[in-house]
Amino acid sequence: MLDRDDFSWNTMVAGYANSGRFTEAEKLFYETPVKSSITWTGLISGYCKYGFENEAFELFWEMKLQGQSPSQYTLGSVLGLVDMYGNCKCVFEAECLFEMVADCKYNAVWSAMLAGYSHYGYGYKAIECFRNMRTEGVESNQFTFPSILRACGAVMACNFGSQVHGCIVRTGFGANIFVRSALVDMYAKCGDLDSAKSVLENMEFDDEVSWNSMILGCVRQGFEEEALSFFQKMLSRNMKIDEYTLPSVLNSFASMKDMQNAISVHCLIIKTGFEAYKLVNNALIDMYAKQGKLDCAIMAFSKMVDKDVVSWTSLVTGYSHNGSYEEAIKLFCKMIVSGVYPDQIAVASVLSACAELTVLRFGQQIHATLVKSGLGSSLSVDNSLVTMYAKCGSIVDANRAFDSMPTRDVISWTALIVGYAQNGRGKHSLQFYDQMIATGTKPDYITFIGLLFACSHDGLLGSGRAYFEAMDRVYGIKPGPEHYACMIDLYGRSGKLAEAKGLLNQMVEAPDAVVWKALLAACRVHKELELGEVAAKNLFELEPMNSMPYVMLSNMYSAAGKWEDAARIRRLMRSRGIWKEPGYSWIETNSRVDTFMSEDRRHPLRAEIYSKIDEIIMLIKQAGYVPDMSFALHDTDVEVKELGLAYHSEKLALAFGPSHCATRSTDSYFQEPPCLRRLPYCYEIHVQRKCELQRTQVVAQDFTARTKSGNSVKFQQTATTLTHHRYRSCNYHQGQTSIGSPVQKQTDG
């Protein structure tokens, strides 16, 4: 082919390249005697056409090194290459190529670079690129403006977006529907809903994309009613709704708790056929789960043919937030088995479920899977890890997780502060609070609950008072019922019921049930029957169907020997149809759960358990233990009362746990302590446990309150790690007796 002219060589190179036959094209290219810009462009164009961006980039670089000037056709291929790199998130390569054509950039090349920056989240680079484009004197058009407006919305650069709006008006692109739609979206994302509404209302034609942006902006800013108003206007104007309209509308219902209208929109979804769209179904699941309608969420989930990670995550999160923790864990396992890898939101939700159920082993497995998978952690996942380990009693691991966090917020610090408090290390909580303040992190409402809880359970009256006063005076946080309840509990544990009553009278708002329960518990400990009657009667009005105040007042009457009054309260309960659910304690040893009720005879190892209790009772009596008969609340003889105290459900669980745990295999890497979940704390049991007999670690959890939530039961709990030592005698006196706390200590106040 040596007698061929330049046209023949260029035609053959371009023909082979455009046909994808690159071996022949490259051979002919390098055999071409004289390569012009047309020759180079033919092969570069072929590479771009078939997605060989690296080869195209290298060839263009070689062309520049050999001094060849690209033609307008070459730049057309380069434009495609810049766009290709942008679509592949290869921003660095796109930038290099963009700089290589610095002398001959024109509008399309700038627009391609700008679109790449904008599309993949490089908002500030897009703004800089737009400024440079204006400096170079390159005019913007209907393709440039939407990209820069999208970038402004992504980084909340409302002022710069307003300046771009001015450019749009001056250049005459204000009437373009794509540009106006981008303006509405930018203002809505920046939170300037008035400007967004103004642009929307001045549009010559109704555009569903613009209306969708407006609705979404209202939802994000918390104006759910405004969002629904725009949706109703869309329907009244017979505008077309699509799969992007409905998720925003459903999100507004999730926030408003408007179930009736939500069901109406669901009916509209079914009628219009949008039930087949994954995006709409995911929003339905999320909306029903946030409304607490898990049965509807499950129905929407089960009807989906193609479920993605968002579908699974929405239901897992819904289960966890509604107290169905076991169901959340089961669904998470099904998600893994089905081949859908969880995202960070799903991991955070299932870790929260593990924390509530204190399933440490499963939580460790999730943590290990997270580390091995290489999935980037997030602040929410790290916070959930700290909370999970702390609530499961593994405070050392909680501290490790906290120390490994690259960034921390107030939730991170609060999780550790509350964790140490729940695990009986209140003074450590106060030390971490001081460290938090030193880092410049400001405490929030929950932080002070943790601090006051720590002070209460460590008897730190002076510190508790100081923190309570600093809430409003230093940080402007108004104390809520939970803070007052903690302070009343602190005063009650310290035997200062007069101060507790005085604090109750200082409350701006009427005390709620949480506050009265704290006062009633303090009265129960210190046998203040008169004040206890006041607290109980208030609880009868606030929570008429809650058995707790009836039972506690009846027990107080029994402890005072007022058997007729105790019987009267029991009769009042029956007449009102209130029944106390049987109490039970259960203990988890190496992933197996055993449940016990008071004087339980159902367990297959009952003979060993009762024998162990008898052995312990005999040993601790030798150490000086004497049963406190005031906690035997039935009018029976002394021997029967003593047996009733001896075979309490928690004592059965404690007798079973350590010895049974020791017989299990020790081959497993994770050797976790037995985890006890028990009835509300009993002073008599606390005293008995102070006569420690075995060096066995037990993670004990008290369930202090229970509230029905659909078919699930939520528990407010505190955890205490107990270490028992052999034949250590007890030294106790009548004092503070509540959840997870030692006998009364000297206070710092």
Side-chain angles (χ1 to χ4, degrees):
M1 295 183 60
L2 295 176
D3 57 341
R4 301 290 183 181
D5 57 12
D6 292 345
F7 176 79
S8 300
W9 285 102
N10 294 338
T11 302
M12 293 297 292
V13 170
Y16 279 122
N18 287 325
S19 300
R21 298 169 64 178
F22 290 106
T23 303
E24 294 91 336
E26 290 168 355
K27 183 176 181 297
L28 285 171
F29 175 80
Y30 288 109
E31 289 177 354
T32 302
V34 180
K35 300 181 183 68
S36 66
S37 63
I38 299 174
T39 316
W40 292 89
T41 301
L43 189 53
I44 291 173
S45 178
Y47 282 141
C48 291
K49 181 179 178 180
Y50 287 95
F52 295 102
E53 62 272 4
N54 291 334
E55 288 80 358
F57 180 80
E58 291 172 2
L59 191 62
F60 183 77
W61 180 258
E62 186 180 346
M63 177 183 178
K64 294 284 288 182
L65 289 176
Q66 292 192 15
Q68 284 284 350
S69 298
S71 67
Q72 59 179 347
Y73 301 105
T74 313
L75 291 176
S77 298
V78 171
L79 173 61
L81 193 55
V82 171
D83 189 56
M84 185 188 303
Y85 276 126
N87 290 334
C88 296
K89 300 185 182 180
C90 302
V91 175
F92 176 74
E93 291 83 351
E95 287 175 334
C96 290
L97 191 59
F98 182 72
E99 292 301 325
M100 287 168 63
V101 294
D103 297 333
C104 45
K105 295 173 189 170
Y106 58 102
N107 185 285
V109 178
W110 284 96
S111 296
M113 194 68 230
L114 192 58
Y117 281 138
S118 176
H119 189 67
Y120 289 104
Y122 295 91
Y124 291 109
K125 285 192 173 186
I127 291 173
E128 182 183 358
C129 180
F130 182 78
R131 281 175 172 156
N132 293 336
M133 178 180 175
R134 301 283 296 176
T135 303
E136 293 287 334
V138 180
E139 291 295 329
S140 305
N141 58 22
Q142 69 270 27
F143 304 107
T144 313
F145 287 124
S147 296
I148 186 60
L149 289 171
R150 186 188 305 119
C152 292
V155 297
M156 307 284 285
C158 192
N159 290 335
F160 190 81
S162 298
Q163 295 174 21
V164 174
H165 191 178
C167 293
I168 291 169
V169 174
R170 287 196 301 269
T171 52
F173 288 99
N176 185 280
I177 191 169
F178 299 106
V179 174
R180 294 187 75 84
S181 178
L183 275 170
V184 173
D185 182 65
M186 183 273 295
Y187 281 124
K189 286 180 178 176
C190 292
D192 189 355
L193 296 181
D194 291 334
S195 297
K197 185 178 179 181
S198 176
V199 175
L200 185 70
E201 291 176 345
N202 290 322
M203 291 182 70
E204 190 174 347
F205 302 101
D206 287 334
D207 172 53
E208 60 270 12
V209 176
S210 305
W211 283 78
N212 289 347
S213 299
M214 190 71 216
I215 292 172
L216 181 58
C218 290
V219 173
R220 284 176 173 171
Q221 296 298 318
F223 296 100
E224 290 85 5
E225 293 183 1
E226 286 286 329
L228 293 179
S229 175
F230 280 109
F231 178 64
Q232 290 169 354
K233 288 179 182 178
M234 285 186 73
L235 296 178
S236 65
R237 296 187 184 193
N238 293 322
M239 292 179 62
K240 179 183 176 182
I241 60 173
D242 56 23
E243 68 272 22
Y244 301 104
T245 313
L246 294 166
S248 300
V249 174
L250 292 171
N251 286 339
S252 67
F253 286 127
S255 303
M256 291 177 64
K257 305 295 183 184
D258 186 354
M259 197 63 199
Q260 184 175 356
N261 285 322
I263 293 173
S264 299
V265 173
H266 192 176
C267 294
L268 177 64
I269 290 170
I270 296 172
K271 289 178 182 178
T272 52
F274 283 108
E275 200 175 24
Y277 287 82
K278 190 187 300 183
L279 193 64
V280 176
N281 264 306
N282 289 342
L284 272 172
I285 296 168
D286 181 66
M287 183 270 294
Y288 279 125
K290 287 179 178 177
Q291 293 266 22
K293 302 292 183 180
L294 288 178
D295 51 345
C296 297
I298 294 167
M299 186 181 300
F301 179 81
S302 62
K303 287 182 178 179
M304 291 185 68
V305 178
D306 182 22
K307 304 178 181 72
D308 62 4
V309 64
V310 179
S311 317
W312 289 91
T313 300
S314 296
L315 193 55
V316 169
T317 305
Y319 275 133
S320 183
H321 286 180
N322 285 281
S324 299
Y325 305 116
E326 291 184 14
E327 295 301 323
I329 292 176
K330 289 177 183 177
L331 187 66
F332 182 83
C333 294
K334 289 180 182 178
M335 177 182 178
I336 300 294
V337 171
S338 67
V340 178
Y341 198 81
D343 60 9
Q344 294 173 342
I345 299 174
V347 171
S349 296
V350 80
L351 284 172
S352 297
C354 293
E356 297 301 329
L357 294 176
T358 63
V359 283
L360 178 61
R361 183 183 294 272
F362 190 76
Q364 288 171 324
Q365 291 174 357
I366 294 173
H367 190 184
T369 303
L370 185 68
V371 172
K372 289 189 291 184
S373 68
L375 178 68
S377 187
S378 67
L379 192 58
S380 62
V381 171
D382 290 338
N383 289 340
S384 297
L385 275 172
V386 174
T387 302
M388 183 274 294
Y389 280 123
K391 283 194 174 183
C392 290
S394 185
I395 195 65
V396 175
D397 289 323
N399 214 331
R400 283 200 196 103
F402 179 83
D403 290 339
S404 66
M405 293 176 66
T407 57
R408 306 182 184 104
D409 62 1
V410 64
I411 298 174
S412 317
W413 287 97
T414 299
L416 202 61
I417 289 169
V418 173
Y420 270 100
Q422 289 178 336
N423 283 275
R425 303 184 187 182
K427 292 183 179 179
H428 287 81
S429 294
L430 307 191
Q431 292 171 6
F432 275 103
Y433 173 76
D434 292 337
Q435 292 179 28
M436 182 185 82
I437 297 301
T439 64
T441 306
K442 291 185 178 180
D444 62 6
Y445 189 93
I446 306 298
T447 309
F448 281 105
I449 294 177
L451 285 171
L452 295 176
F453 180 89
C455 294
S456 173
H457 285 251
D458 261 34
L460 306 175
L461 181 58
S463 297
R465 281 172 172 162
Y467 290 130
F468 186 76
E469 292 171 359
M471 284 183 64
D472 191 11
R473 178 171 48 83
V474 179
Y475 298 103
I477 301 173
K478 298 294 182 183
E482 300 89 348
H483 304 104
Y484 280 101
C486 287
M487 283 302 296
I488 288 172
D489 184 55
L490 174 57
Y491 281 128
R493 289 168 184 263
S494 304
K496 300 181 180 297
L497 288 183
E499 286 86 343
K501 186 178 179 181
L503 184 64
L504 192 73
N505 295 330
Q506 293 175 15
M507 292 184 65
V508 178
E509 299 179 2
D512 66 359
V514 175
V515 177
W516 287 115
K517 286 175 185 176
L519 183 62
L520 181 59
C523 295
R524 168 74 176 88
V525 171
H526 295 286
K527 300 180 174 58
E528 289 287 342
L529 187 56
E530 184 177 350
L531 187 56
E533 288 176 330
V534 175
K537 288 176 181 177
N538 278 280
L539 284 169
F540 293 166
E541 296 179 2
L542 291 170
E543 296 182 349
M545 300 307 293
N546 187 349
S547 64
M548 187 278 286
Y550 296 92
V551 173
M552 190 168 286
L553 183 59
S554 173
N555 291 346
M556 291 178 69
Y557 282 135
S558 299
K562 296 186 175 183
W563 303 108
E564 292 184 2
D565 289 328
R568 176 175 56 81
I569 296 298
R570 297 282 181 176
R571 287 194 300 271
L572 180 62
M573 283 182 65
R574 286 193 294 270
S575 67
R576 295 181 176 181
I578 302 170
W579 302 95
K580 180 182 179 296
E581 296 181 13
Y584 58 93
S585 301
W586 68 97
I587 186 166
E588 180 183 354
T589 55
N590 296 336
S591 302
R592 174 179 167 177
V593 176
D594 293 270
T595 306
F596 298 90
M597 298 177 66
S598 183
E599 300 186 44
D600 200 332
R601 304 279 178 176
R602 300 169 300 166
H603 200 279
L605 298 176
R606 55 187 175 275
E608 298 177 23
I609 294 170
Y610 277 81
S611 174
K612 187 67 176 178
I613 288 181
D614 293 340
E615 176 189 346
I616 293 172
I617 293 293
M618 180 182 68
L619 289 172
I620 62 177
K621 280 186 175 180
Q622 293 175 2
Y625 161 73
V626 178
D628 187 348
M629 294 303 174
S630 67
F631 284 88
L633 303 173
H634 297 283
D635 190 13
T636 56
D637 57 44
V638 175
E639 185 177 353
V640 174
K641 288 182 178 180
E642 187 171 339
L643 287 175
L645 292 174
Y647 301 137
H648 186 279
S649 64
E650 183 182 346
K651 292 180 180 177
L652 295 174
L654 281 171
F656 166 78
S659 59
H660 186 62
C661 186
T663 64
R664 297 283 179 94
S665 171
T666 59
D667 295 337
S668 173
Y669 177 77
F670 293 117
Q671 287 299 314
E672 61 193 81
C675 178
L676 171 66
R677 304 171 193 176
R678 62 197 184 219
L679 292 174
Y681 207 89
C682 171
Y683 177 75
E684 161 63 24
I685 294 171
H686 170 73
V687 169
Q688 179 175 332
R689 227 177 17 230
K690 288 294 288 183
C691 303
E692 294 141 338
L693 298 172
Q694 300 178 13
R695 181 176 288 277
T696 305
Q697 187 186 43
V698 179
V699 177
Q701 287 202 329
D702 300 305
F703 287 74
T704 62
R706 308 203 305 174
T707 57
K708 296 285 185 179
S709 175
N711 294 325
S712 64
V713 179
K714 290 184 179 179
F715 297 91
Q716 298 173 353
Q717 56 194 17
T718 60
T720 301
T721 302
L722 307 173
T723 304
H724 298 262
H725 303 279
R726 188 168 184 78
Y727 298 112
R728 182 176 171 187
S729 63
C730 64
N731 181 15
Y732 69 94
H733 56 275
Q734 191 74 14
Q736 105 189 37
T737 59
S738 55
I739 302 167
S741 60
V743 292
Q744 184 166 341
K745 301 178 179 179
Q746 295 293 324
T747 68
D748 65 346

